[in-house]
């Protein structure tokens, strides 16, 4: 029956309290809500731990789902470029250039991004077809769109460089803050590329063109032949090679003639998924901006456009780690711009010369980098690190 909020000076032995007539507050008259509050505060650490456990479990489940998605390439089975386009689309593509500009753009607006990039449109027309905001750079916009849509496609501008780290990075190797890399030059022809992951290698080709590492080509296709025997048919299919021997980059004797250290100290992990996705050797890097590694950056794994069946089998049989199998990666700066792409194809990169007879080391000691063209053309279509020789 306390009337005043002032604490009673008589304390617990108050005579009026015993008679039930004290008008002042006593410590044993704590409000029920205050009791609940104190009890809640007492249980708060336990509830926080439980909440953190739920959040951690949710994040792990999302990460698991993400990894499952990444392990499934965008195209489980590659379709022949000569058979995958419908008659209607073929008719449109063959006649669209003859239409008035207004209809030209109206038709191209309805094509998906991969189809548009495969048409090899002039820069100005591509800018209009994609309806870029005024002042937006094509390379920056495409980089963000391809990252967001996760199509397994990368866009490479004119000024790009490439370098490779080809050694098995054990825990504790070096100081953990840099990778020893060696440059590969010249860079790639500007354009949009798709990646096919091979056993200990990869095939990188412009969108709209055929992979060298399949049984399709610009001149002829061999659909009944085994895909892994592509090296015996590439000339008949309409490809020509420009192969550079780089024995110094072979995994069996990794001693680059010219090397430098790529610093990793500015890495911020993967901001998009809230986890650390390290950049580890062996790795192939396509750099789009100069010295992006001197500023803060993050690295995330993306979906592969395609994975060779032999490489897929290696994943299942060998139980290799995710970092060794999820071929395509994307490096972004803190503004969300794509500044580099990474590719990994296995525990090491191996590469033989497809035009030569198979030999015992299968690219482990005699390393080759092959660029390929459609026969009779000047512009390069793709680049391949062949991986191990398949039986």
């Amino acid at each position: 029956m306390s009337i005043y909020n002032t604490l009673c000076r008589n304390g617990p032995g108050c005579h009026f309290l015993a008679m039930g007539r004290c008008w002042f507050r006593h410590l044993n008259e704590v409000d029920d809500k205050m009791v609940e509050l104190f009890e809640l505060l007492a249980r708060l650490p336990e509830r926080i731990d439980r909440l953190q456990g739920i959040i951690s479990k949710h994040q792990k489940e999302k990460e698991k789902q993400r990894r499952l998605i990444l392990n499934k390439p965008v195209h489980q089975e590659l379709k022949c470029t000569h058979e995958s386009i419908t008659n209607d689309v073929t008719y449109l593509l063959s006649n669209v250039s003859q239409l008035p500009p207004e209809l030209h753009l109206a038709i191209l607006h309805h094509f998906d991004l991969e189809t548009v990039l495969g048409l090899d449109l002039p820069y100005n027309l591509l800018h209009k077809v994609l309806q870029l905001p005024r002042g937006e750079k094509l390379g920056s916009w495409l980089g963000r769109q391809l990252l967001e849509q996760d199509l397994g496609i990368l866009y490479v501008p004119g000024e790009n460089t490439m370098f490779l780290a080809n050694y098995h990075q054990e825990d504790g190797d070096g100081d953990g803050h840099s990778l020893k890399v060696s440059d590969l030059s010249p860079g790639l022809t500007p354009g949009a590329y798709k990646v096919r992951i091979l056993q200990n290698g990869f095939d990188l080709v412009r969108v709209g063109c055929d992979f060298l590492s399949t049984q399709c080509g610009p001149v002829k296709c061999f659909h009944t032949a085994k895909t892994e025997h592509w090296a015996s048919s590439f000339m008949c299919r309409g490809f020509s090679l420009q192969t550079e021997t780089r024995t110094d980059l072979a995994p069996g004797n990794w001693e680059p003639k010219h090397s430098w250290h790529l610093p990793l100290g500015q890495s911020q992990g993967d901001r998009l998924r809230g986890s650390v996705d390290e950049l580890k050797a062996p790795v192939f890097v396509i750099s789009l901006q100069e010295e992006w590694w001197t500023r803060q950056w993050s690295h995330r794994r993306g979906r592969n456009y395609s994975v060779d069946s032999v490489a897929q089998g290696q994943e299942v049989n060998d139980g290799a780690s995710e970092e060794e199998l999820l071929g395509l990666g994307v490096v972004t700066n803190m503004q969300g711009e794509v500044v580099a792409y990474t590719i990994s194809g296995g525990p090491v990169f191996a590469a033989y010369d497809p035009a030569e007879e198979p030999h015992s080391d299968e690219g482990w000691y005699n390393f080759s980098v092959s660029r390929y063209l459609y026969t009779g053309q000047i512009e390069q279509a793709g680049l391949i690190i062949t991986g191990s020789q398949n039986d």
Side-chain angles (χ1 to χ4, degrees), residues 232-298:
S232 62
S233 66
F234 72 87
M235 286 188 288
C236 298
R237 290 183 282 125
F239 291 102
S240 59
L241 295 184
Q242 297 175 345
T243 300
E244 177 187 9
T245 301
R246 290 293 304 270
T247 306
D248 59 309
L249 303 182
N253 53 350
W254 166 253
E255 296 179 356
K257 296 177 182 178
H258 304 286
S259 64
W260 54 282
H261 282 80
L262 173 68
L264 305 178
Q266 293 290 338
S267 173
Q268 302 299 304
D270 183 351
R271 296 181 297 111
L272 297 180
R273 289 189 286 118
S275 62
V276 176
D277 201 345
E278 296 180 353
L279 191 59
K280 300 175 63 177
V283 64
F284 178 85
V285 181
I286 304 169
S287 179
L288 312 184
Q289 290 186 13
E290 291 185 358
E291 298 188 348
W292 51 265
W293 50 86
T294 63
R295 300 173 290 275
Q296 290 187 338
W297 52 274
S298 62

Side-chain angles (χ1 to χ4, degrees), residues 175-336:
D175 57 9
H177 297 295
S178 66
L179 289 179
K180 184 179 180 181
V181 299
S182 182
D183 292 324
L184 295 173
S185 60
L188 296 169
T189 302
Y193 288 81
K194 53 188 180 181
V195 185
R196 180 170 170 79
I197 302 303
L198 309 175
Q199 182 186 20
N200 300 321
F202 63 88
D203 191 353
L204 184 67
V205 70
R206 299 187 65 172
V207 174
C209 296
D210 295 298
F211 285 110
L212 182 70
S213 60
T214 67
Q215 289 290 359
C216 287
V219 174
K220 194 172 183 179
C221 300
F222 299 95
H223 296 153
T224 58
K226 290 185 177 181
T227 303
E228 55 265 32
H229 296 163
W230 60 266
S232 62
S233 66
F234 72 87
M235 286 188 288
C236 298
R237 290 183 282 125
F239 291 102
S240 59
L241 295 184
Q242 297 175 345
T243 300
E244 177 187 9
T245 301
R246 290 293 304 270
T247 306
D248 59 309
L249 303 182
N253 53 350
W254 166 253
E255 296 179 356
K257 296 177 182 178
H258 304 286
S259 64
W260 54 282
H261 282 80
L262 173 68
L264 305 178
Q266 293 290 338
S267 173
Q268 302 299 304
D270 183 351
R271 296 181 297 111
L272 297 180
R273 289 189 286 118
S275 62
V276 176
D277 201 345
E278 296 180 353
L279 191 59
K280 300 175 63 177
V283 64
F284 178 85
V285 181
I286 304 169
S287 179
L288 312 184
Q289 290 186 13
E290 291 185 358
E291 298 188 348
W292 51 265
W293 50 86
T294 63
R295 300 173 290 275
Q296 290 187 338
W297 52 274
S298 62
H299 180 243
R300 68 171 298 194
R301 296 289 171 177
R303 290 184 70 186
N304 299 310
Y305 188 92
S306 173
V307 179
D308 174 70
S309 59
V310 179
Q312 199 78 42
Q314 181 188 30
E315 173 182 355
V316 175
N317 296 328
D318 297 351
S321 68
E322 291 162 344
E323 287 78 8
E324 295 171 348
L325 296 164
L326 298 176
L328 182 61
V330 185
V331 178
T332 58
N333 60 21
M334 293 301 101
Q335 289 72 46

